[in-house]
């Protein structure tokens, strides 16, 4: 081979999953004034090649994930990388391997183990335009072999993905079953503690917490009662979201007066009792026709929405709840649209408009996802009515699960999040009145 001057500091990308090989090649070439960049697999190599635009790429062939042939074929399809010479450096030395590498798009082929004495010159030659060739006939033959190899690799990958997916689904089912079971088991003792704490309060003659001397039996039992009430709420939320996710939430259908359950939910939250000064306005709730649904579950939807409206609206402001009858399903904005009510015409839309901190458009689709909360968890308080109080991010996903189980829609409108200018948020719930057919 004729002596050739190495191109000074030419960037060489070496893609190989074996760190020992990478170290050896790096040392050999760095000594020769090349700059070597390493990637440990095909995908990482493709990414690095796109930022680096190296002068030459050395490609191991046997690699997990995308192998060297596939990575080379992919490189050839990226216009700004297609011209870079690719040299296969491989332990695959059986007859036909060289031709296969060239058919896949490589410009050269160096068998492993590499010869440390000649290797730098070999690289120099490829950098100076050396290009291995095969006859057109051979190329055709090996291309068709390569195609077959690709299809069988694709088949293997699909089978492996399907197996992994089945495994994940099984694990997910085991996890959901466990959560449902654990929550059920927790509910029994919680109900008992709840009942006994109430009894204790009764015995102490202290059902009203106001003015109870601190440390008295009445005061202590009231504290136990309040804590268990919150614990019960959290356990129920976890149980409900698991039932919704597993599509196992059972609904008891009966005629439901939405106006009544909304007012009951607000009264239960009773912000005034917690020294909150908010005004609530009801519009059009008194003459709504009954819908057929699960009254307890639907009350929970409005309880969750109202609890948020109260938590995120500072004192001195207002919440307005409006009911409207509509003849056709509403035009729900795309991120919130749920293709579940195609068979329904009209229904009732309830809107809950608060004058609180608002929700940024970027956060709006996410807040309906499990465990998503925009609040800083460092300031987390589990109060359902205190300003800024937070939950575990299950209120809206549960509300959405219940509304969708009723073939309804739920969505939000808010211009921005701003605790100073208070742009407010309006949550909408559409519940259908009857089947089209
Ligand atoms: P959490 O249990 O944390 O209240 P939710 O699912 O009910 O969970 O709400 C998720 C997040 O959506 C909240 O943490 C809050 O950031 C935001 N959010 C919900 N309702 C409102 C509202 N009315 N005003 C402002 N932000 C809200």
């Amino acid at each position: 081979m004729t002596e050739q001057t190495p191109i000074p500091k030419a960037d060489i990308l070496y893609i190989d999953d074996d760190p020992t090989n990478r170290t050896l090649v790096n040392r050999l070439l760095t000594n020769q004034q090349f700059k070597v960049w390493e990637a440990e697999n095909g995908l990482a190599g493709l990414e690095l090649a796109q930022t680096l635009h190296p002068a030459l790429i050395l490609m191991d062939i046997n690699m997990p994930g995308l192998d060297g042939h596939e990575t080379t074929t992919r490189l050839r399809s990226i216009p700004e990388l297609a011209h870079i010479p690719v040299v296969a450096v491989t332990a695959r030395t059986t007859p036909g391997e060289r031709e296969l590498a060239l058919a896949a798009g490589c410009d050269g082929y160096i068998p492993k183990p590499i010869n440390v004495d000649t290797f730098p010159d070999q690289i120099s030659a490829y950098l100076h335009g050396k290009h291995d060739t095969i006859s057109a006939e051979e190329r055709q033959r090996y291309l068709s072999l390569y195609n077959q190899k690709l299809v069988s690799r694709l088949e293997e990958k699909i089978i492996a993905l399907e197996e992994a997916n089945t495994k994940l689904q099984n694990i997910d089912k085991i996890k959901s079953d466990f959560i449902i079971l654990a929550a059920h088991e927790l509910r029994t003792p919680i109900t008992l503690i709840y009942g006994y704490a109430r009894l204790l309060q009764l015995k102490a003659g202290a059902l009203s917490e106001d003015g109870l001397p601190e440390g008295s039996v009445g005061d202590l039992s009231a504290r136990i009662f309040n804590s268990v009430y919150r614990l019960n709420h959290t356990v129920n939320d976890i149980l409900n979201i698991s039932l919704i996710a597993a599509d196992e939430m059972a609904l008891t259908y009966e005629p439901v007066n939405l106006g009544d359950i909304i007012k009951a939910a607000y009264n239960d939250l009773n912000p005034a009792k917690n020294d909150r000064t908010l005004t609530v306005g009801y519009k059009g709730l008194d003459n709504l026709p009954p819908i057929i649904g699960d009254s307890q579950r639907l009350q929970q939807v409005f309880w969750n929405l109202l609890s948020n409206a109260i938590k995120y609206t500072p004192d001195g402001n207002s919440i307005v709840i409006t009911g409207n009858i509509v003849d056709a399903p509403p035009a729900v904005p795309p991120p919130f649209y749920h293709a579940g009510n195609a068979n329904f015409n009209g229904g009732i839309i309830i809107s809950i408009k608060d004058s609180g901190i608002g929700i940024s458009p970027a956060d709006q689709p996410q807040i309906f996802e499990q465990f998503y909360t925009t609040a800083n968890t460092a300031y987390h308080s589990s109060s359902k009515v205190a300003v800024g109080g937070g939950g575990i991010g299950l209120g809206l996903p549960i509300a959405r699960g219940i509304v969708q189980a009723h073939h309804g829609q739920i969505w939000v409108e808010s211009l921005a999040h701003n605790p100073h200018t208070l742009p407010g948020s309006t949550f909408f719930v559409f519940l259908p009145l009857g089947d089209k057919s």
Side-chain angles (χ1 to χ4, degrees):
M1 182 176 284
T2 49
E3 267 296 307
Q4 283 171 346
T5 335
I7 294 173
K9 290 283 178 193
D11 283 318
I12 297 198
L13 170 61
Y14 182 29
I15 308 175
D16 191 329
D17 61 318
D18 184 334
T20 323
N21 286 341
R22 293 203 305 267
T23 310
L24 173 68
V25 166
N26 200 331
R27 282 209 187 123
L28 277 175
L29 296 184
T30 305
N31 277 345
Q32 298 292 325
Q33 300 251 314
F34 294 113
K35 176 135 183 59
V36 179
W37 303 77
E38 298 176 20
E40 59 185 4
N41 59 51
L43 284 179
L46 284 168
E47 207 179 306
L48 194 51
Q50 299 197 57
T51 46
L52 190 65
H53 288 246
L56 181 125
I57 298 174
L58 295 173
M59 184 75 71
D60 179 30
I61 298 297
N62 268 347
M63 289 187 290
L66 276 189
D67 71 12
H69 294 143
E70 291 153 3
T71 309
T72 305
T73 306
R74 179 74 187 107
L75 278 166
R76 291 287 171 249
S77 72
I78 303 172
E80 57 292 6
L81 305 179
H83 65 281
I84 299 175
V86 178
V87 179
V89 181
T90 175
R92 278 163 67 157
T93 50
T94 48
E97 288 298 344
R98 175 182 169 277
E99 289 73 12
L100 201 54
L102 298 182
C106 292
D107 298 275
Y109 173 87
I110 300 177
K112 277 187 199 160
I114 54 174
N115 179 335
V116 293
D117 297 324
T118 57
F119 188 67
D121 284 343
Q122 286 175 300
I123 299 306
S124 261
Y126 285 114
L127 267 174
H128 282 90
K130 178 174 181 226
H131 187 89
D132 295 356
T133 50
I134 43 171
S135 69
E137 231 171 68
E138 268 187 320
R139 176 175 297 277
Q140 200 47 48
R141 190 153 68 84
Y142 280 97
L143 262 182
S144 109
L145 265 180
Y146 180 47
N147 278 343
Q148 285 164 18
K149 188 195 92 159
L150 279 183
V151 173
S152 55
R153 285 253 304 157
L154 187 63
E155 189 187 0
E156 270 169 35
K157 292 278 169 211
I158 292 173
I159 293 171
L161 272 179
E162 279 174 355
E163 278 173 9
N165 196 27
T166 312
K167 256 192 211 156
L168 282 176
Q169 280 175 350
N170 287 341
I171 293 170
D172 195 51
K173 169 102 179 69
I174 291 171
K175 183 210 72 187
S176 311
D177 287 351
F178 170 76
I179 294 176
I180 293 173
L181 198 78
H184 267 304
E185 287 297 312
L186 281 171
R187 260 163 42 137
T188 314
I190 287 173
T191 311
L192 287 175
I193 302 172
Y194 198 72
Y196 286 130
R198 206 52 166 173
L199 262 180
L200 211 58
Q201 270 186 294
L202 261 177
K203 286 233 172 222
L207 264 192
S208 146
E209 287 156 45
D210 302 335
L212 288 177
E214 215 180 309
S216 66
V217 177
D219 173 50
L220 297 180
S221 51
R223 284 168 197 259
I224 297 175
F225 184 80
N226 290 340
S227 302
V228 179
Y229 176 83
R230 289 220 308 257
L231 179 62
N232 190 39
H233 204 95
T234 306
V235 170
N236 275 340
D237 275 359
I238 293 171
L239 179 61
N240 285 329
I241 201 68
S242 307
L243 290 173
I244 288 168
D247 211 6
E248 285 176 17
M249 178 176 262
L251 299 179
T252 315
Y253 288 99
E254 57 185 324
V256 183
N257 183 321
L258 290 180
D260 288 351
I261 61 168
I262 289 168
K263 287 177 189 166
Y266 192 84
N267 292 340
D268 185 57
L269 284 158
N270 197 358
K273 190 175 156 214
N274 290 276
D275 300 328
R276 296 292 319 275
T277 52
L278 292 168
T279 41
V280 62
Y282 298 118
K283 285 189 192 162
L285 290 187
D286 291 333
N287 299 314
L288 296 175
I291 67 147
I292 300 301
D294 185 315
S295 116
Q296 260 189 22
R297 300 281 189 206
L298 287 171
Q299 183 160 337
Q300 192 182 354
V301 169
F302 295 108
W303 196 99
N304 290 359
L305 295 178
L306 287 168
S307 158
N308 284 343
I310 295 167
K311 280 189 302 192
Y312 299 109
T313 304
D315 282 333
N317 291 288
S318 61
I319 297 168
V320 179
I321 307 157
T322 309
N324 278 307
I325 305 168
V326 290
D327 296 337
V332 178
F336 306 108
Y337 178 74
H338 172 66
N341 68 338
N343 273 330
F344 295 92
N345 277 327
I348 294 176
I349 295 184
I350 303 288
S351 64
I352 299 178
K353 181 176 167 57
D354 64 48
S355 37
I357 59 174
I359 305 161
S360 77
D363 276 330
Q364 289 173 18
Q366 268 104 295
I367 57 175
F368 290 94
E369 300 301 328
Q370 287 180 37
F371 307 119
Y372 188 86
T373 149
T374 58
N376 184 340
T377 44
Y379 303 110
H380 191 92
S381 99
S382 54
S383 169
K384 302 296 174 192
V385 290
V387 186
I392 48 173
L394 289 181
L396 291 176
I398 289 174
R400 182 178 65 172
I402 297 173
V403 169
Q404 290 179 353
H406 283 81
H407 307 285
Q409 305 273 1
I410 182 166
W411 70 104
V412 64
E413 281 175 14
S414 178
L415 289 177
H417 170 84
N418 191 326
H420 308 293
T421 59
L422 302 178
S425 314
T426 307
F427 281 81
F428 297 88
V429 174
F430 166 75
L431 291 164
L433 268 171
D435 204 316
K436 227 188 220 175
S437 49

